[in-house]
Each structure stands twice: as C-alpha cells, then as structure tokens.
Amino acid sequence: MAAAETDREVPSALCSEFLNFSAKDTVAKWLQATDLPKEVYQHLAGYVPKIYCLGPNLNPTSEDLLAQLLLQAPLEWYLCGEDPLVGLAKLEKNNQPSQLCGHVFKVGEPTYSCRECAADPTCVLCMQCFLGSVHKEHRYRMTTSGGGGFCDCGDTEAWKKGPYCQKHEPNICDSSQEDPLANLSADMIARTYNIFSIMLKYAVDMLTWDKEDELPHGLEPPERGDTYYCMLFNDEVHTYEQVIYTLQKAVNCTQKEAVSFATTVDRDGRKSVRYGDFQFCEQAKSVIVRNTSRQSKPLRVQVMHSSVVAHQCFALKALTWFSHVIRYSDALRRILCQVGLQRGPEGDNSLVDTLMLCDSKMWKGARNVYHQLYMSSLLMDLKYKKLFAIQFAKHYERLQSDYVKDDHDREFSVTDLSVQMFTVPSLARMLITEENLMTTIIRTFVDHLRHRDLQGRFQFERYTAQQAFKFRRVQSLIGDLKYVLISRPTEWTNRLREKFLEGLEAFLELLKCMQGMDPVVRQVGQHIEMEPEWEAAFTLQMKLTHIISMIQEWCASDDRVLIEAYKKCLTVLTHCHSGFADGEQPITLSMCGHSVDTIRYCISQEKVSIHLPVSRLLAGLHVLLSKTEVAYRFPEQLPLSELSPPMLIEHPLRCLVLCAQVHAGMWRRNGFSLVNQIYYYHNVKCRVEMFDKDLMMLQVAASMMDPNHFLMIMLSRFELFHIFSSADCRKRYNRESANKDVVQQNSTLIEEVLHLIMMVVGERFVAGIGQVESCEELKREIIHQLCIRPMAHSELVKALPENENKETGMEKVIDSVASFKKPGVTGRGLYELRPECAKHFNLYFHHYSRADQSKAEEAQRKLKRQNGEDSALLPPSLPQLCPLFASLVNILQCDVLLGMLGAVLQWAMEPSGGHWSESMLQRVLHLIGMALLEEQQQLESTLDDNEVTFSFTLKISRPGEAPSTSPSILAVLETLQNAPHLEVHKDMIRWILKTVVSIKTMRERTAAAPPPERAGGWQEEMVRDKDKAERKRKAEMARLRREKIMAQMSEMQKHFINENKELFQQSLEELDASTSASLEHSPSSWDSVLVCVGPRRWRGGRGERRQVVTCILCQEEQEIRADGRAMVLAAFVQRSTVMSKNRKRPPHDPESYDPIFMHPDLSFGTHTGSCGHIMHSHCWQRYFEAVQAKEQRRQQRLRVHTSYDVENGEFLCPLCECLSNTVIPLLPLTKTSCSNGEQPGLVQWLNTTSQQIKALHSAHRKAKPTSVAVAGQSEGVEAPPPPEGFRPDHTPINPYSSSIKEMLTTFGTATYKVGLKVHPNEQDPRVPIMCWTSCAYTIQSVERLLVDEQKPLFGSLPCRQDDCLSSLARFGSACWTVSSLATVQSHFIRLLAALLPDPQVENSRCILDVDMFHLLVSLVLSYPAVHCQDSSGLSTDIAELHLLHLVTVAHLVQILLTSIPVELTMEQESGGVEHEEESVCLLYNTLRSHIGSCVYEVSSGWHLWRAVKAGILPFLRGAALFFHHLHGVPTPPELNAPGASEWEVLCAYLSLPSNLLQLFYSYQEVLEPLLQGWCSHPSMRQCLQSPETLISFPRESNKLIELPEDYSALINQASSFTCPKSGGDKSRAPTLCLVCGALLCSQSYCCQTELEGEDVGACTAHTFACGAGVGIFLRVRESQVLFLAGKTKGCFYAPPYLDDYGETDQGLRRGNPLHLCRERYRKIQKLWRQHSITEEIGHAQEANQTLVGIDWQHL
Ligand SMILES: [Zn+2]
Ligand SMILES: [Zn+2]
Ligand SMILES: [Zn+2]
Ligand SMILES: [Zn+2]
Ligand SMILES: [Zn+2]
Ligand SMILES: [Zn+2]
Ligand SMILES: [Zn+2]
C-alpha cells in the first residue's frame, strides 16, 4: 500500500457519539416505527458517510469495525428480536442444513471430477468432499479452479452414483422436503422479511446507482462537504503498463504507488486514485482521459462525491452481510430468495432481476460480491434455484447482449452462472420446455453474427478486430447450448419433443448459414495476394462439433424425434441446394456399357466450399436410422423415396475431390489458408463432423444407387472420366500428354479415387453402417495409431476424438489391444500394440494422413519381417454391413470398377512407362484383395452356394470387354506375377492368385463341406528370395545416405562438434571412470605402501612424467611445462549454498568480507567445475575475443539476450557448448625437493616455524614503517634473529612462463570476482584466499556427492572432474607466485594462528568457528610462500605432514566438543578397539576439565570413538582427495571400491595412525598447551551454548525438501497461500522453493522487489538469499520445475510427478491424478548437488532459443 493510505484516526468528535450508540435502543425505535424503511434509511443516511470515505483510502480496517457496531448490529438485533449473539446461535442450532456442500472455490483450489460418475465434466467436488467420497477410488480428473463455481457434493443430479460424501450423507429422517420456514416463529419471519426487503433494496439501489453527485431519496446526507474521489475503473483494453504510466502522469505518484493502484483496479475493478475537492479530482480525470484516448477508447474515470462512494461501500458490505447471516439458517436463506425474486407492485422487475440486468455496468468488485451472494442463496435453495433459472432464461437474450458489448472476462459476468443451472438436467429440461431455452440460445447466437453474403451465409472475411473480439465473446453461447444438451433425456414428453424440434429448426437455420460458406476458387496463373480469412469459420465449426454430435444423440434416443429431425434436415438441405447451381450443366456419361445423367461440374474451375454442416447432419441422421432400426420399423414414415442420391453426394463429393486435388498439387497457388483448412477437415478435432460424415454421405448415397453410376459420377468429379472411359484406356493413358505436371496430377488423382472407393466399401466400423458395437470403432482407431509406433497415453488421447465430456472412452478398450510399458527416469510410459492385433491393420485406414500411412507401412513391414512372415500387407477382414448399406459391396464387382482395375493393371505391364505409379498399383491390388475376401466371407457364411451373389472371381476371369482382344484381369495378374519390375508387389499378387484358386475350390465343393482354411502355407516358400531384393535396395540407399553425410561433415567442422555433442553432455554416471585416472591408478605404479603426503610420499618412480595434451581449437599437441605455453581448461565458477547448514545467515558485504576462515556451516561457498576441454591459452583468448566482438555486433542490431553473458566473461566451451566463465591453467606437478637430511619432528618444526613467523612479522613491519603505533611497538620488542637458512628478504624466482602467469592471474581474478560478487581487482589481497577456498569447497562437495551416490572415493569420477580437481589443487599451490609475497605470508600467519597462539595476531578464531578442511587446504597452499625463503633444507613435505597432523588434532577436539550425542541410543557392538576407546575417553575428560559444564559426561569410550570416527571421516576423505590431486599420487586399490576397510587404508594413505588419538598423545607436551589455549578462547563457551548455530560432524548432506506423494496436496497447500504483500490476496503463481520449502508469489507485480537496482520477481529475489543466485522451484499451478540462475537465465524442467500412464502434465491440462516419482526427484536433487543447474539451463537455452527471450527475472 502506498504511504498516503495509512489508516486515519477516528475523528475524536465522533468517538463519543459512537461510544454512546446502542443497537438495542435503535431497534426499539424501529419496532415502533410506522414507516420502517424511512427510519432505517435515516439511520444509514446519518451514519454511513460518517464511517466510510473520510480519507483517500477506501478500505481501512477500522471502518469495518465501526460498520459492524453501528450499522450491522441494529440489523441483526432487529432480525433476532434479541441479542444477535444469542439469536443467531439459536437459529443455527435449529437449522437443518441442506445436503448440498456448496463450497465456493477459490482461485487455484483443486477440484475433482469423477470420469466414471459425473453427469458432465462441470460437476466437481471440493477436496474435502472428494476425499470422503467413493470417487477417489475411481478414475478421476483433477483441475485447479479458476475461481467461482461451487462443490456439487450432495446434488443427486450431478452424479450417476455416489452423490454424497461421508459428511453430506443425508440422515435417515430426511426432512429436505419440509419447508425450512416451518420452525421459525411468524413474528421472526415477518421481521426478517421486513429488514431483508429494506436492505436488499438499499444495496441494489446503491450498486446500480449511476449518478455521481446525488443520492437516492431518503439517503441525502445531513451535511455535505466538497470531498470527491477520482475513481478509476478497470477495462480489459489497456495494459498494466499503460495504466501505470498514465497514473504517474495524472496524479503525480511514484511508480510503486501507480503499480499498487493498477493492481487494485485490476483486482477490484475500481480504485480511487485521488481524494480532494471537485476541481482537484476533475483535473486528474481529464489528464487520464486525454492520455488514454489516443489508440483506443479512454479509461473510464468518474469524479464521485464521497457520500455516494460511502453508500456504495456499505451496500457491498450489506451483501456480504446477507451471505453471512443466511449461513445460520436455511430459513433465512429462503426468505432472502423470496424477497429477491418478488416482483414489484406493477409486476416490474424483482431486485434480483434489476441487479442482473445492470451487471455489465457494475465494477468487478461489486459483481463478484453479488454473484457470490447469488451462489450462496438462490443456487443453494432447490425451490428458488428453479425460479431463478426461469428468470435467468427470460432475461437470457438481454444478459448475453450486455455481455457481448462489455469487455470484462466471462468469469466476471453474471452470464457465467449459466453453468450452475443449465447443467442440472431437470432444470435444463424444464427451461427447454417452459422457456424455450434451446431456441432462445441459438437465436441469440445467430443474431450476433450479422455478416452474411448474398445467399445469407456467414461471411467472416472482412471482420474488423472489434468484430472478431465480439465473435469470441459470442462463442460462450455455444458453451451454454452444450450445457443444456449435455445430458440426454431418458424420457420424452410431447412438449419436450415439440420444443426440442423447434430448437432443432433454429439450429438448422444456423447450419444453413454455414452450408457453403467461405467458398474457394482455384487460383491459376498468379498466386493469391492475400491469404483469405478462414479461421473464424473453422472456429465456429469446431465449437459446434460437439453440439452437432449431441443433437444426433438426442435424436437417436426417440424414434419420433429422429423421424421428424430427419425430415426437417432433408427439407433444409433441399432448400440449400436450390440456392447454388452455378456452373452446372446437364450431361450424360457412358462407360462399360452403362450410362448415367448428371451435371458437368469442374471443381478445378468453379466454387467449392468445405463447410457443409447440413449435408453432414443428414448423413449422421441417416446412419442413425439404420442403427436404431427406425428405417426398418417405420419405413412408411420416412421420406426415403424423396431422396435423390446424386443430389446427396454432390457437395460432399466436391469437398473430397478438392482434398484430392490439393494433394495432387493443383491448388498450390491458393496459399496456406487452404492447406490449413484441408488439414483441419481431416484433423481429429473436426473430422467427426466433417470428413467422416462426407464419407458417410457417399456411403449413404452409393448404397441407394447403381454402383456403376456412382463410380462414373465420381470419376467425372475427379476429372478422370475421360481417362477411363476412352475406348483404348487400357493402353497407356495420356501418352500424348507431354505436360509432366498433368501426368503427375492425374496419377495422384487416380490414387485418391481408388482410395476413396476403398473407404466407401470398407469403412464399416460405425455402428449403423456395419454390424459392430460402438467400442469396436474405438478399438480400431487405437490399433491403427499403435501400428504407427508405440504411444504414450496423452498422444493416444490427442489422436482420438473426444466427446463433449472430454472423454475418448479409450480406457475401456485399451487393455484389450495394447500392453503398457513403464517409463524409466526419463521419457514416458508407452502403450504397445498386442501382437495378435496386428492382423486388423489396414494400410488404407481412412484416418491416416499420408505421413502416418507411410510410417505405419514401414513399421508393419518391419514387424512382419522380424516375425519371419511374408511382408505383404493384406486387407483385413471386415464386419458385415447393415442391411441399409448392404449393397455397397457391389461396387467391388461392378463393371466400371473392373474396367478401372483392368486398366491400371494393364498399364503396369510396362515397366518404364512411368505414367502409372507404384501406389496406384498397390491400391488396385488392395481393392482386388478386398473383393476376394468379401467373396470368401460370403461363401463361408452361407450354406447354399447359389445364394452368394458376389462373384468377383468369375468376373475377373472373363476377358476384357472394351477392346475385345484384351486379356482378363486374372490373366494380367498372372503375367505381372513374374514381372521383374514389380518385385515389391510380388507377395501380394501371389496371395491374390492363391486366394482366387481357393475360392474356386470352395465354389466347386458341396455346400456342406467345411470352409477351407484361409491363407495356408503359401507364405514360407517365397519369404527368402523376396527379402533379398528388398534388402539389397535398402543397403544401397543406406550407403548413399552415409556418403552424403560424410561429405557434409568434412565440409563443416561445426557439424562434427554437433555430432559429438551428446557425448560430452552425458551426465556423471554415464561416463566410464576417467582414462587419466585409471592410468594413474594402474597397479604397475603401485608399490607396497602408497602415501600421499609427507616425506614418505610416493614420488612417481624415475624422472618426471611428461604430460601431453591436445588443444581442442588448433588440434596441436602441447606438453605441460612450467616454462611452456599455457594450456587451460574451460571452467565455470559459481557461488554455492548447496552444502549450507545455515540458510538464515545474511549474505556478507562483498567489500568488507574477510573470507580467510570458512565457517563450519559452509553457508556460502565458491564452486569450480569444468567440462574438461583443454585449449591453448592464446587459442582461447582469440576465441573469446571473437565471441565478444560477435556479441557486440549482435547487441547493436537486436537487443536480445544470449544464453551466456559475455560482459560477465561467460562463453560456451567451443567443443561441448558447456557454459563457462573462466579458464584454469594446467600446471605440471611441483618438483619434489628431495632432501635427504634428517627432517624435524613436530616439536622442532613448530619451533622453527614460529621463529620464521617472528622474522616475517618484523620484516613486514620494516616494509611499512609509516604506522606510528606499530613503529613504537617494534622499538620496544627486539626482533629475534631469523632461524638459520631463512632469509625474509629473499625474492624467489618465478618458475612460470609469462603466459602461465597471465592465466594464473586470470583464474584467480575470476574466482575472486564471482566468489565475492565484486569487481575484478587482481591486486586485492583476498584473491589467493578465494582460490584456496574454492579448491577446498569444490573438493568437499565432490566428497559429499560420492558419499550420497554411494561411490568409492577414487576411480568413479569422470575424467573431466578429475582433471578439474587436479588443476585446481595445483593452481592453488602456485597462485601465490603472482600475488604479493608478504600478503600470502601474512595469510599463512593468520591461518596458523587459529591453531598456534601468536601474540602478534589479533582476534584469532575460535576453533569451533573454523571449517578444518578449508583451514588445511589454505595452510598447505599458502605455505610455499613462506618456504620459498628457506634454504635450510627443510622440505615442504614434512611441513604438509605436520600441518595435516595439527589440523587433524584440532578437528578431533572440535568433534569431541560438538558432535557427541546427548543420548547414547546406539547399541554398543562387541569387538571394539580398546586402545582407541581408552585414549578417546582420556582426551574427552581432559576437555571437560578445561571447559566444564558445557560438555556433558560420557563414559562410554565405544560411543565416543564411534562418533569421532564418523565425524572426522569426511575430513580425511577430503584430505586424501586433496593430496592425491596435488601430488598425483596413485591411490590404493581398496579406495577404488566401496568397502568396509576404508578407515585403515585411508589413514595409511594420509600417513596417519589409524588410532588418531596417538597424534595427540605422541606430542602431548606441545599439544596439551595448545588444547588449553583453544578451550580458553573467549567465544568458546558462547559457541557451545548456542545449539542452533553449532555445527556437529559429520555434516549431513542437504536434500531437497520432502514432497507429498499426491500432487493435489501441493495444489491445496498453494491455494490457501496468499500473497504476502497485498493483504490476503490469492497468489496467481504460487511457487515452491525446493531447496528450503518457501512458498513465493511469483510472476506478479505485487511481489516484485528491487535487487541491485533492478525490479525482480519473488523467485529471483529468493534465489539470491537462498541459493546464492541459483534456484530450483516448483510452479504449483503449472506442475513445472523452474531452474533459475542469476537474473537472466532460466529454464523449465520436467516435474517429478507422473500420472498412472507414466507421463508428466506440465500445465496441468490433462488432469490425471499425479504422483511423486522418487527417481526423478532424486535426479533433480543430484543436478543440484553436483552444481549442474546453471549448466542445465545453458544447454536448455541453447537447444531452445525461445527460452532466452523469457524475462526470467520477473518470475
Ligand atoms: Zn464440498
Ligand atoms: Zn460433501
Ligand atoms: Zn466415481
Ligand atoms: Zn591451440
Ligand atoms: Zn567443453
Ligand atoms: Zn529457498
Ligand atoms: Zn504477491
């Protein structure tokens, strides 16, 4: 809220008046009053303006309190006649609540619908009811509510079974029939009635009040000031940004205030943006209007008097009060309904009507409140719901028109309530019969679509944007129509029949306007200039698809309705046909001895339309006549004789020919709009009421025609008649035609016509056409989908048509045709076709697209080959046709078809002709196969041979007719069988010939003989030689393809990289253990004792090992040498909180933070990773400069982000495109100083070192003599002489070449910059510290990861990580050479001072505040800076060993102090190690004696030793990794496999005794005083006494938060989550942080905050606190994982929730129940733990460039 809106103080003058107010007394007065309304109004007129609207803020909370006391309390007193506290409680007690749940849904709340029991998908349950219902065991759907709507629990009409949940189950003594008013006193009823009437009238008057400066009679305020509001109203035209910008100008507010205003306007529908005198407000208004009127209509602004606004505020309050009081009693609710629906004295509108009719004039907030009230009153009372529904239906047309004119979304319109009434079957039926609702809806709809062409058809062509907008709104009427029709009547009354048919008539009028709309004409010559508008028409068609289907279902449920509907539809169709007759001339066609009269119509020249809904509806009804057997039972009532089959097929046929011609490429110049239309015509969303019905119409007509006539008309429309009718058509056709295009076109058209014939005869799976059950149609559909390939559930759903309930019915049949294969960690579950179903495969399945067909063909042939079968794809056997369609089979044996078949076969005799096509022949063979199967089937199913009228075999054996010399079809086939150019078809031809023979045998046999077995052993013989040819062809193809690829590859090197990309992107576990590692670990280099640290450490045999690497950029080899050219590894440095044990620690101030000691909570670390690709430093520099230059040029042109931020040093690895931001130099192993001399023991070494340090102190002081204080001090203390051989003034020679030095600086600076989030500064003393820290942190995180993944310590890392760790460690030990020696030395001094007291170091750390592993690494890596000045022969090895011992002892102490469990719950195991146990007890007790009560007493040595071992193990493992990589020492094989003996081997490898306590006791004389010093550190006690920050060891690995098993639990949790910033508002995009579990209000203005000077969304802001810039979130509404990194990077990732079909549901569109998949969640967790989130984002963004454009920072 803006600052100006703080709650005002209640003016003190009013206080006393308010305090003296007594509701009881006021009511006493009211009870006496003769004119109660006047009295109440007076009260309101007096108080309302005194309570509301006294300042700029309209809704402070104190107002509600006052309103409660002064305004509502009297109302309740009056109502109850006593103290409302008592009265309302009584009411509640006596109330018998209805069984309706009626819970109104919040935005985002989960709702459940049962797919088995819900009457329609709008019937939903709230979560509570759902969990207590039977449906949770059923197949249910889960969605999130968009707000509004209520729970249907208890509504018996909404559920086929289980209407009640446990809670709403009615008790046996059901009193729901009883009048709820029965148990209320007459007195009370009268009072309620009075007060409700007055208050409802008041509220309605005020909310519909449109005067800005006046009030209704009786409400005028006693005194009136010059106080006004400038009220801004919401519209859906202006954007947020426009409003914010305008407000800043108009009322002079800050951006923040403007955002707040705009948010409120958007939410409540209006907001006062200025308060003051009239002038002041008027001025703001004019600025706003002026500023927003440029492009569109201006924003609505009103200057309103404060008293008007005050009364409107209270009017809303009053409505809320109604909702509140009626909750106490159903009786009160009924009275309210009665009051609301009561008509005025002159029969004028009731209050409920008035409000509804003003709906579109009210602001959003007011609408919401009264809609809610309607839902909780009128819609909850069964009696009044009906009355309200009637009123609603009466006003329907007006309400819809208002809605169409309004610009608010439907959820804010009263029309949205339609779903609550229209979906109740009994109400819908009542409204149809009583209020003629069906007709009203359709008429209203048609009225709003005014644009027609000359024939009265819709025309969307010249739609303006405004009309298009209106068109979208009008579509909601179709939704209403759907609700009304969704449940079919089980019983018909005459009245219902009459009204339904009336509605149908209106509907036919609508369809008539669509019949023939958007006609197209083939474009020749020029390409069309503008793509014509087509989407509107298709939108309409799509929206109506379900309605049309539902209307057919209604018709099918009553014989009389069906007959009448059929007649009406036919009449309308006939009427349509008389409408268009352009280009039709009568002609006569003759062919094969048949002739037919028809018209000439050239589709390629005349108009043709895809939209034929009337024809299609008739086709549907006709099939229903057959299905319901009405055609056979009442033939006399049907106008079948009036049907003209040629008229029926004419338009559907034109449409199908259009499709064929488009396929043949004849309509190319008509552009994409036509292609799109054809696509949708066949698409699953439309085809049921488009393509499918056209095919049906052809079947309908063909079944009533002479098949020869039917085919001739078809050929004529396909413009192929001349080809087949010519006398010599069997000779090569159009040999004369030189035009290749025409030949090609005709070939395709012939293919298409043959396919269409197959479909007309063969598509019999619709009940009514063939003798099938309706589920068989679906089964067949699924089988054919799965013949293409195995599919996921959602893919199948998409491929199947859905009914009006969004159900495909697939679940019922899927298991009978497919088996389910579960998904792995990626991918999804798949359905695979059962092998036995493959025999139903039909290559020419009518719903296959050409692409589907060829994929299915390939898949099925492959399958057959795999099974060792012959690869011919035979036509499947078909079901019998229904009697009405029985004559269709005759098409297969009619003369015209035989003529066509003969012609094509004849053409195919000639191999090189090229005028016939393979697929043409294939289709002909398929048709012949179909005919043979038909004949076979008929023979099998009849006993008497003579009854079989189908005699295809006979006919094809006759010689051809046209030229008398031509051979019979059979003879041609026999010739073709051996044609070498028809190798591919040989199988099919053989099968045909074989079948002909078997049919002939059948015919010869006696009728009683059993039918022979079909398809005998003819296959086996020919499998082999046939396959050979096919294989050879394939092999040749493959070779050509390979060659082509090779050529391309050599052309482009880039290609090579892409080919290999996947290899490099493989994740950790998929790669084999690194090659470099396995070399180093090879047993040949392994001698008896492997030690990685100290004087005894392994030294790599003879001589130095050479290390040679190859640069990925120039491909040159290069040896790694200190004085050689630098080689670098691409690397990515990032801040990390992955291991943090304290996410509450505030981020450090980057400028002043001192990183030298890492706190054991590891709250912020710096991680370094690498893809392991090596380059020359100069090659890399050149590459990076090129990237930079390219990026600069690009940014100048278009301001778009890339997936990497060049300005921040980011680039993609040139080989694997892995995101990188720096490079690590590769360094050789440090030379081992082989000192043979005696090396000092710990005591002596400590002595020498402290002397060295003292010498350094004084040397450093001399170096900076400026500080007076220090100088004075130094005079006092005489500097001791440095130890022998130590020369603090010595400057060592830098061993590295200049390019290596440069790279040392580069990586150091990058680590410093990223790790601290500061500007690069190579001089900063913190640079080396950050390098050491990053090395330590990275090793620690790798160690954790190996434990979590249960991998052995060595040998399991991929080489890229091994290489990265080695170079990090070696870099760490070399980075001091490019820093100031004194700086590094003083770091060492400070580090050591944490363990060894040094009086000259102030503020040394308490050991409990130090992470010992970081300390060890930093000490070891900084020590060379001290050692380089020593020439006494001291070796670094001994120093490393002593440092390791020292830190280990300190860590032991740390563990003993922090990590001993209070309760020793663990059962002690036998066989402990006594010696260790004794010594650990001893040490523990020593510590207790130093510290005292903070450390509890523990006497069990076993437990102590156990705790110590467990606590220190991660440290030892880290140390082993560190020294291994630093010195390149091979690892003992025991550590390459997970095993129990790890401890001993590890200790030995680290040169430590396996009883670590010995470290202490061997040097007790020096360590004891140190121990004492540590214990007496001033902050020791404080640390021990604050358990919340105390870290105990071992630190457990962090996990992502626990997620619930059922996704709806998350939705529910998120739905009650409110935005933390805008008081109690629901968050639109609640988002869960998977790292810490915080819920955030994402992607919303309200929760934007400023971060580093930029506005960022809640998620981005959260990542900076929680994940150091990296975040993993779950967007709950979308069911989508979100990865964020920094402000500009992000990607979406598959959520770990799967449905039962093994699929995710991103966007929650499908609504299947979702359950947690633990493996997938673990995978996300692993990405996080191995610091790969940023890398993952990079890869996602590279793969999908649109992700780069998303404003991630606003999420
Ligand atoms: Zn409920
Ligand atoms: Zn319930
Ligand atoms: Zn159910
Ligand atoms: Zn190179
Ligand atoms: Zn790479
Ligand atoms: Zn978090
Ligand atoms: Zn918010």
Side-chain angles (χ1 to χ4, degrees), residues 1343-1457:
E1343 192 273 330
R1344 277 294 86 198
L1345 201 63
L1346 290 170
V1347 172
D1348 297 334
E1349 301 289 317
Q1350 295 170 325
K1351 296 264 174 65
L1353 184 57
F1354 292 107
S1356 60
L1357 289 179
C1359 64
R1360 66 171 194 164
Q1361 217 157 358
D1362 260 333
D1363 293 349
C1364 177
L1365 291 184
S1366 296
S1367 38
L1368 261 183
R1370 288 171 205 172
F1371 167 83
S1373 72
C1375 68
W1376 63 275
T1377 58
V1378 291
S1379 296
S1380 134
L1381 197 58
T1383 306
V1384 182
Q1385 285 169 343
S1386 58
H1387 289 333
F1388 178 77
I1389 293 169
R1390 284 180 61 208
L1391 287 163
L1392 196 61
L1395 300 180
L1396 282 183
D1398 181 342
Q1400 302 199 42
V1401 176
E1402 287 162 17
N1403 303 329
S1404 70
R1405 277 288 174 113
C1406 166
I1407 62 158
L1408 295 187
D1409 278 343
V1410 176
D1411 177 69
M1412 288 301 163
F1413 184 68
H1414 273 76
L1415 182 64
L1416 173 71
V1417 170
S1418 301
L1419 278 171
V1420 167
L1421 295 180
S1422 58
Y1423 181 69
V1426 176
H1427 183 259
C1428 70
Q1429 293 180 325
D1430 180 277
S1431 57
S1432 66
L1434 204 67
S1435 88
T1436 46
D1437 284 319
I1438 193 70
E1440 285 173 1
L1441 187 64
H1442 290 320
L1443 287 171
L1444 174 64
H1445 286 185
L1446 206 55
V1447 177
T1448 309
V1449 170
H1451 198 24
L1452 280 175
V1453 171
Q1454 196 180 23
I1455 293 167
L1456 282 173
L1457 288 177

Side-chain angles (χ1 to χ4, degrees), residues 1494-1741:
C1494 293
V1495 184
Y1496 9 39
E1497 186 178 343
V1498 177
S1499 56
S1500 160
W1502 185 87
H1503 281 103
L1504 284 175
W1505 177 236
R1506 235 194 111 80
V1508 165
K1509 265 178 86 169
I1512 206 163
L1513 190 60
F1515 169 82
L1516 296 182
R1517 287 164 53 94
L1521 274 175
F1522 172 60
F1523 286 114
H1524 161 73
H1525 284 290
L1526 183 65
H1527 296 311
V1529 180
T1531 53
E1534 290 90 336
L1535 294 180
N1536 293 350
S1541 62
E1542 190 182 19
W1543 178 263
E1544 275 73 22
V1545 184
L1546 199 57
C1547 290
Y1549 189 55
L1550 286 167
S1551 199
L1552 295 173
S1554 67
N1555 177 3
L1556 288 183
L1557 277 306
Q1558 275 176 14
L1559 287 178
F1560 180 77
Y1561 288 107
S1562 311
Y1563 300 101
Q1564 202 168 0
E1565 72 280 13
V1566 276
L1567 293 180
E1568 179 66 46
L1570 289 184
L1571 190 85
Q1572 233 166 345
W1574 298 337
C1575 292
S1576 56
H1577 190 279
S1579 46
M1580 177 62 88
R1581 276 174 172 277
Q1582 198 199 332
C1583 280
L1584 285 174
Q1585 278 163 349
S1586 42
E1588 61 280 359
T1589 50
L1590 195 65
I1591 302 298
S1592 69
F1593 299 89
R1595 286 169 290 220
E1596 253 183 72
S1597 298
N1598 284 327
K1599 293 187 175 118
L1600 294 181
I1601 57 161
E1602 280 293 324
L1603 288 176
E1605 151 69 22
D1606 185 342
Y1607 194 74
S1608 50
L1610 274 180
I1611 299 185
N1612 208 35
Q1613 186 194 342
S1615 74
S1616 50
F1617 167 69
T1618 52
C1619 165
K1621 292 239 175 114
S1622 44
D1625 249 18
K1626 296 289 164 241
S1627 167
R1628 285 179 201 192
T1631 301
L1632 183 66
C1633 172
L1634 293 179
V1635 174
C1636 70
L1639 251 179
L1640 308 166
C1641 169
S1642 167
Q1643 214 180 352
S1644 169
Y1645 272 102
C1646 52
C1647 285
Q1648 282 194 357
T1649 44
E1650 206 176 283
L1651 186 76
E1652 291 160 1
E1654 277 181 274
D1655 278 340
V1656 296
C1659 285
T1660 305
H1662 183 75
T1663 60
F1664 278 76
C1666 171
V1670 175
I1672 305 174
F1673 300 94
L1674 183 68
R1675 287 159 64 83
V1676 181
R1677 296 265 161 85
E1678 271 78 31
S1679 178
Q1680 204 172 34
V1681 166
L1682 168 69
F1683 289 163
L1684 286 181
K1687 288 189 205 159
T1688 53
K1689 295 194 190 78
C1691 71
F1692 297 114
Y1693 195 84
Y1697 280 91
L1698 298 181
D1699 62 16
D1700 291 347
Y1701 311 108
E1703 293 185 76
T1704 62
D1705 188 2
Q1706 295 191 51
L1708 286 183
R1709 287 193 190 93
R1710 293 198 296 279
N1712 291 329
L1714 294 169
H1715 298 285
L1716 182 64
C1717 170
R1718 299 196 181 274
E1719 291 76 42
R1720 292 189 185 213
Y1721 195 39
R1722 265 199 293 278
K1723 197 180 158 209
I1724 295 175
Q1725 174 166 281
K1726 189 173 164 191
L1727 280 178
W1728 173 62
R1729 282 177 171 173
Q1730 65 191 20
H1731 292 89
S1732 303
I1733 298 294
T1734 317
E1735 187 183 324
E1736 193 67 33
I1737 296 173
H1739 287 311
Q1741 292 200 340

Side-chain angles (χ1 to χ4, degrees), residues 589 591 601-604 657 660-661 664 666 711-726 729 733-734 742-755 757 896 900 904 907 920:
L589 304 170
M591 179 177 166
Y601 195 90
C602 233
I603 288 137
S604 63
V657 171
Q661 290 187 346
M666 292 167 69
L711 290 180
M712 280 192 280
I713 293 177
M714 234 166 90
L715 283 176
S716 155
R717 296 296 173 273
F718 270 88
E719 296 165 41
L720 293 170
F721 188 75
H722 61 284
I723 293 177
F724 288 100
S725 62
S726 67
C729 78
Y733 75 97
N734 51 24
V742 175
V743 174
Q744 185 61 48
Q745 272 168 20
N746 282 339
S747 287
T748 310
L749 289 177
I750 293 172
E751 286 163 30
E752 293 281 334
V753 84
L754 290 169
H755 191 189
I757 296 169
V896 173
M900 289 167 68
V904 175
W907 300 338
M920 209 186 279

Side-chain angles (χ1 to χ4, degrees), residues 104-105 148 323 367-377:
V104 176
F105 293 116
S323 302
R367 295 188 199 185
N368 277 339
V369 170
Y370 98 83
H371 295 167
Q372 295 263 339
L373 180 62
Y374 278 16
M375 278 199 266
S376 58
S377 55

Side-chain angles (χ1 to χ4, degrees), residues 395-453:
H395 296 304
Y396 188 81
E397 198 179 335
R398 160 83 186 276
L399 293 177
Q400 289 297 344
S401 304
D402 285 352
Y403 163 70
V404 171
K405 280 182 218 131
D406 185 22
D407 68 354
H408 282 61
D409 287 344
R410 186 134 197 274
E411 54 177 308
F412 303 110
S413 163
V414 70
T415 56
D416 204 29
L417 291 181
S418 61
V419 59
Q420 309 296 350
M421 292 164 278
F422 293 176
T423 53
V424 181
S426 62
L427 279 185
R429 218 87 81 228
M430 183 269 288
L431 293 173
I432 291 179
T433 48
E434 308 292 318
E435 297 299 326
N436 207 2
L437 181 64
M438 188 176 162
T439 314
T440 310
I441 297 176
I442 299 166
R443 291 254 152 86
T444 311
F445 180 71
V446 176
D447 278 353
H448 281 284
L449 297 176
R450 297 233 171 80
H451 283 245
R452 311 284 172 85
D453 66 8

